[in-house]
Every structure is written in structure tokens, then in C-alpha cells.
Amino acid sequence: MATHNFIAPDLDYMKETHFAGREDWIELGLNVSGIGKFEGIVGNSQTLLNVLDLVRAVAATDSTVLVLGETGTGKELIARALHNNSCRCGRPFVKLNCSAIPSELLESELFGHEKGAFTGAIGQKIGRFEMADTGTLFLDEIGDIPLALQPKLLRVLQEQEFERLGSCRTHRISVRLIAATNRNLDEMLSRNEFRSDLYYRLNVFPIVVPPLRERREDVAPLVAHFVENFARRMSKRIDQIPQETWDALTSYSWPGNVRELQNLVERAAILSRNGVLANPLPVLVSEQLVANSTVPDPISLQGAPGTFMDSQRAIILQALHGAEWVVGGPQGAAARLGLKRTTLIAKMRKLGISRSSRRSETVGLAGG
């Protein structure tokens, strides 16, 4: 019997128990590898779990972390996970996309300025470093910081002090820096586009976020989550995904990674009719992907009906059978599915799975 980690999340249960009072979590996704401390990270592939192990190892320190990876892989989610697992959790988490700010304004954005410091400075401004004091500052697209500004950034990292533009007063802070980029900083060093001293100061603990094509096992749970997410937002019933759609989605290389997957699932949800998820990929592309694919079907349910409810039930029963109906513990069904014990119990209640049905369910699995 094939094994897999695909399970559509129970959004109501998650929201009530782990995300009370949070309105932004639904846009980020759900964690299936350690609820709460890794919110927004969906997947249970070994490649992703290896990254989360690195996050756990360095989060407890105050070391600078450099998060590397392609666009759309979820580098900000890794930064948030580092903050949430650190002793600074509960303190400010401030972020800034360095490529989104004009270079002439970036220094003021980082360090702040006093009234009259330059033309247009009509009042005092607090910079991101000052806002992040006692907490974490996440600088995305760090490779886009101008060379002229890099020495001042290096000083803040080394000395934990700075001056606002137009001021001689030194401000001391305690900030943990996490930087991210999708650019090759080694190549930028060779072209003298990035300072070597700043690079070595940033590169204390690098974490490479894998592209989605290297963690194909996570495509199925990501699709399931986004489908349920968008169905709820659009007030639509979507409970079936045709096999050809699964084949296309799991065979595609996803050059835009998780962000592209999310956008395509949203498109498919808009086009869905009669509870069936449309294939968001062009027909010719889908046919070519399926024809050329050598990737095994990650969600083969061996004849199980193609609805979310039936799929979840089959997967949970499969995990329970493999764990000899032990729910908790390191070898239990919950661990096999990457869920908390309480989450799995709630899912079992919802699907009508109980220990009293163990005999009949086990016989059914064996016969399937």
C-alpha cells in the first residue's frame, strides 16, 4: 500500500485552537510540521523538514541568518519562524524589502531622520532598526542595498548603534537581523557589487530554502490547503480534483514556486464549476507534462473516491493502520501525518473514525 503525507487541513479547528485573534494566518497557509512556531509553512517532505531543523538549531541564538532561495519559495515565512522560535518571540518583527525603496530614501527608511535633514524632511522619522529594537529585523532582497550604504549597515550589525540622518546622537539598540535574497552574492562579490566584509557578517548561518520542484511531495498538501482556502473566501463548494488536474499540478516544474502555485490554484477556484477544481494550466502544457512525467503520483489513494472528505478518511485510516492504531507518540499516526495529536483526534471525530471501528476499518483497508 502506497504511503503519502497529503491531508487537507481542518481550517475551523486550526483557527479556533492555534490562530485565535489572527487574521493574517489564512493568507500564509497552515503549518503541518509543528503548529504555532512554524505557522504558514505547509509540507512534510524531508527536504523541507531538514530546513526546519536548521531553523530550530539557530533560532535560539542571536546569530545573523542569511536566507537564500528563489523567488516565491517562502523566505519570509522562514524568517518569521526564526523569530517565533527565538527568545525575541512576542517582541517586534519588522520587515523591509530593500528593492522596493528608492536607493536615495533607503538610508532614511533604515535609520530614520530628523526634521530638516534633507529637502522634504518635514518631521522626525523613526527608522526600521529603531522600530525593531529588542526584536527582529528582516531585510528582504539584501543584495539590492547600494554599495554606499553597506558600510553603515555593517556598523549597525557589529556595534548595534547608529545615528539618524541629520543627528549626531548615537542610538544603541538590540536587534537580531535576518536577511534574505534570491541573488547570487558570491557573483556580486566577484563583480565588486557587494562588500565582502558585509557579506561575511551576514553569512554567519545561511539557510537555503528549496524550490518547489525539489519538494514535489509538498505540492499535494499545498494544493489542498489553497483549494479549501479559496473555496471559503469565494463561498464555493470545491470537493473534487480530477486525476488529470492532479497529474498536471504534480508534474509541473513551478518556476514561480509556492507563490505561482497559490496564484494558479486561485485561478482554478474562480473557474471551478459543480464542485470540481478546474485545471489552471493550459491544455497543451498539461498534456505534455503528463506525457513526459516520470514522477510517481504522490496522492494515489488506490481506488478511494476523489473527494477531500474521502481522501482525508483514507489517508488517516492508512496512517492509523501503519501505526497499529496508536494516535500519539513519535511512532503514532499523528506523527506520520505531521499533525498534532489533538488535531488528528479532531479530524477523526469529524470523519467518524473511532477506536471501536478499528476492526472493520482495518479489514476494509486490507481489502482495498
Side-chain angles (χ1 to χ4, degrees), residues 211-243:
L212 190 53
R213 63 182 173 273
E214 294 180 8
R215 40 180 287 226
R216 290 183 183 272
E217 312 95 297
D218 294 334
V219 171
L222 282 164
V223 170
H225 164 65
F226 289 135
V227 166
E228 196 161 355
N229 187 352
F230 290 123
R232 176 167 297 180
R233 290 189 187 183
M234 300 174 189
S235 299
K236 280 189 171 185
R237 178 183 61 84
I238 303 176
D239 55 13
Q240 295 186 45
I241 301 180
Q243 188 62 46

Side-chain angles (χ1 to χ4, degrees), residues 39-299:
E39 61 185 87
I41 301 175
V42 176
N44 208 26
S45 64
Q46 190 57 53
T47 304
L48 179 61
L49 294 180
N50 291 341
V51 171
L52 298 187
D53 284 340
L54 293 176
V55 170
R56 291 186 185 95
V58 73
T61 74
D62 254 353
S63 298
T64 301
V65 178
L66 180 60
V67 185
L68 305 169
E70 298 176 8
T71 297
T73 51
K75 295 186 290 295
E76 182 179 336
L77 295 180
I78 295 298
R80 287 183 179 274
L82 286 163
H83 175 74
N84 290 341
N85 284 272
S86 73
C87 60
R88 295 176 184 263
C89 182
R91 307 286 180 84
F93 178 83
V94 179
K95 60 182 181 178
L96 175 68
N97 188 321
C98 299
S99 66
I101 306 296
S103 57
E104 62 272 14
L105 299 178
L106 187 56
E107 183 174 2
S108 170
E109 197 67 35
L110 286 169
F111 308 112
H113 64 250
E114 299 292 343
K115 180 179 179 180
F118 52 85
T119 302
I122 59 176
Q124 186 187 76
K125 176 182 175 66
I126 302 298
R128 300 299 174 98
F129 270 101
E130 203 166 345
M131 291 168 59
D133 191 19
T134 73
T136 302
L137 177 61
F138 173 54
L139 294 183
D140 200 3
E141 303 301 342
I142 192 76
D144 291 335
I145 287 188
L147 271 172
L149 187 55
Q150 292 179 21
K152 192 166 185 178
L153 176 59
L154 177 63
R155 181 199 169 199
V156 180
L157 296 180
Q158 291 178 334
E159 307 296 336
Q160 292 281 294
E161 63 182 31
F162 69 95
E163 291 84 32
R164 296 182 192 144
L165 285 174
S167 172
C168 296
R169 179 188 171 192
T170 298
H171 296 266
R172 294 200 58 83
I173 54 172
S174 173
V175 172
R176 199 255 183 96
L177 182 75
I178 301 172
T181 183
N182 61 2
R183 303 182 66 179
N184 190 322
L185 294 184
D186 289 316
E187 291 183 359
M188 294 183 68
L189 283 176
S190 65
R191 298 193 300 265
N192 295 320
E193 296 175 355
F194 203 86
R195 290 177 61 104
S196 59
D197 49 3
L198 177 59
Y199 170 73
Y200 296 129
R201 185 64 183 80
L202 292 171
N203 198 35
V204 175
F205 196 91
I207 295 179
V208 180
V209 184
L212 190 53
R213 63 182 173 273
E214 294 180 8
R215 40 180 287 226
R216 290 183 183 272
E217 312 95 297
D218 294 334
V219 171
L222 282 164
V223 170
H225 164 65
F226 289 135
V227 166
E228 196 161 355
N229 187 352
F230 290 123
R232 176 167 297 180
R233 290 189 187 183
M234 300 174 189
S235 299
K236 280 189 171 185
R237 178 183 61 84
I238 303 176
D239 55 13
Q240 295 186 45
I241 301 180
Q243 188 62 46
E244 58 268 23
T245 300
W246 276 122
D247 290 338
L249 294 175
T250 54
S251 302
Y252 186 50
S253 61
W254 299 111
N257 295 294
V258 178
R259 185 179 295 122
E260 181 185 14
L261 172 62
Q262 180 177 6
N263 292 338
L264 279 180
V265 171
E266 182 175 7
R267 179 193 304 173
I270 294 171
L271 297 173
S272 65
R273 298 291 184 273
N274 301 319
V276 179
L277 186 74
N279 183 356
L281 295 170
V283 175
L284 292 178
V285 173
S286 298
E287 291 177 350
Q288 183 178 6
L289 286 170
V290 174
N292 296 336
S293 175
T294 58
V295 179
D297 179 10
I299 56 153

